[in-house]
Amino acid sequence: MGKSEEVRMTYSGIIPQKDGKKIARVVFERGKDTAEGVVPSGKIERFSGFTAEEAAQLGRYLMQHENEILAKAREVHPLRNWLGKGPK
């Protein structure tokens, strides 16, 4: 990544899909720049402020860290997070 600001990553809990597959949504933020992707596909669905090459790097990161991200996403409990209590 060309810019020196830190990139922050947040992710959803596991989201079941109609086809039976399960995904997690991931958001990367760097200042006002954002990129949104999905695991396990590693696809960056949209980005703003990041270059196309940076978005491709983020997609590769998602693919390389898919298992770790999905494991963390399984710990996310939406209601507990909404209430400000964080993961168990």
Side-chain angles (χ1 to χ4, degrees), residues 32-49:
K32 294 182 180 181
D33 304 339
T34 60
E36 300 175 29
V38 177
V39 288
S41 72
K43 181 180 179 188
I44 298 296
E45 296 181 328
R46 62 182 145 258
F47 60 96
S48 173

Side-chain angles (χ1 to χ4, degrees), residues 9-63:
M9 180 181 81
T10 56
Y11 46 86
S12 71
I14 298 295
I15 304 168
Q17 301 296 288
K18 290 180 184 178
D19 60 5
K21 294 181 182 179
K22 296 179 181 177
I23 66 164
R25 297 202 161 276
V26 180
V27 176
F28 295 96
E29 297 174 293
R30 178 184 62 199
K32 294 182 180 181
D33 304 339
T34 60
E36 300 175 29
V38 177
V39 288
S41 72
K43 181 180 179 188
I44 298 296
E45 296 181 328
R46 62 182 145 258
F47 60 96
S48 173
F50 286 99
T51 66
E53 176 55 33
E54 289 173 327
Q57 289 175 0
L58 294 171
R60 287 191 293 275
Y61 177 88
L62 291 178
M63 300 276 299

